[in-house]
Amino acid sequence: MRAAKTVLKTLSLVGALSGLALAAPSVGEPAPRLVVETLDGVHFDLSALRGKVVLVNLWASWCPPCREELPTLDEFYARYHSEGVELLGLSTDRKRDRKDALSMARGLHYPVAFAAEAEENGFGTPSILPVTYVIGPDGLLRAVFLPTTTKLSVGILEAVVKPLLPRRAQ
């Protein structure tokens, strides 16, 4: 538990100093609105997932750190989806890169959507990719992972997410 608190404090500070676009949400604030149709045609509304831990990963097919962490996110989702964890990959690819993004998304087990097709996207446009947001069951943003500060791993995600899960899931 102590390690999780240290990670959260570090991530909060890093998130505040990260240089994300001004519209980016901050740790401790309510998660912004996000409504988008996933590639498999499912309506994704972040506000409807209250009570679950939700990860939102902004990525692009042309981004090497993004490609590197997709398998980690996929593994984490496979382990914790049955415990109430949701994950959305939100591709920031432009139309010209859509084919590459679709190809990469086919290998993932979690839902993927295109940011450009969102009905509402309060996360804004990040100045660096990838960015992974962790939203707690209370709807508050609990952590922000950036490639400049944290190499994303299943263990790091567990340290932040497991304390947010119902007791039986830990």
Side-chain angles (χ1 to χ4, degrees):
M1 186 65 155
R2 189 174 196 189
K5 286 182 181 178
T6 301
V7 169
L8 286 173
K9 284 180 184 176
T10 301
L11 292 172
S12 296
L13 177 61
V14 167
L17 301 174
S18 68
L20 289 175
L22 292 176
S26 298
V27 172
E29 293 180 350
R33 295 275 302 148
L34 179 59
V35 179
V36 66
E37 186 172 317
T38 65
L39 297 180
D40 56 0
V42 175
H43 181 78
F44 180 94
D45 183 343
L46 182 57
S47 65
L49 295 173
R50 201 77 181 260
K52 294 186 177 211
V53 177
V54 181
L55 282 72
V56 176
N57 172 254
L58 284 80
W59 65 284
S61 62
W62 48 262
C63 163
C66 300
R67 291 192 307 266
E68 185 179 316
E69 76 178 25
L70 290 177
T72 298
L73 290 164
D74 203 42
E75 179 182 344
F76 184 79
Y77 179 77
R79 283 190 195 178
Y80 290 96
H81 179 64
S82 65
E83 304 296 337
V85 173
E86 296 294 337
L87 171 59
L88 176 72
L90 193 59
S91 171
T92 61
D93 281 288
R94 295 183 180 144
K95 284 188 179 192
R96 68 176 180 243
D97 299 316
R98 186 178 176 95
K99 186 176 180 179
D100 292 336
L102 288 169
S103 177
M104 291 175 68
R106 277 190 205 98
L108 302 173
H109 296 94
Y110 57 88
V112 175
F114 285 100
E117 297 174 3
E119 293 173 36
E120 294 184 58
N121 181 4
F123 286 92
T125 303
S127 61
I128 189 169
L129 289 173
V131 179
T132 301
Y133 296 97
V134 178
I135 297 105
D138 55 3
L140 297 179
L141 184 63
R142 298 305 188 100
V144 179
F145 293 102
L146 303 166
T148 55
T149 57
T150 306
K151 180 168 173 49
L152 203 60
S153 69
V154 170
I156 287 173
L157 288 170
E158 286 175 341
V160 173
V161 171
K162 284 179 81 173
L164 302 174
L165 296 173
R167 287 278 179 218
R168 70 187 187 307
Q170 296 181 25

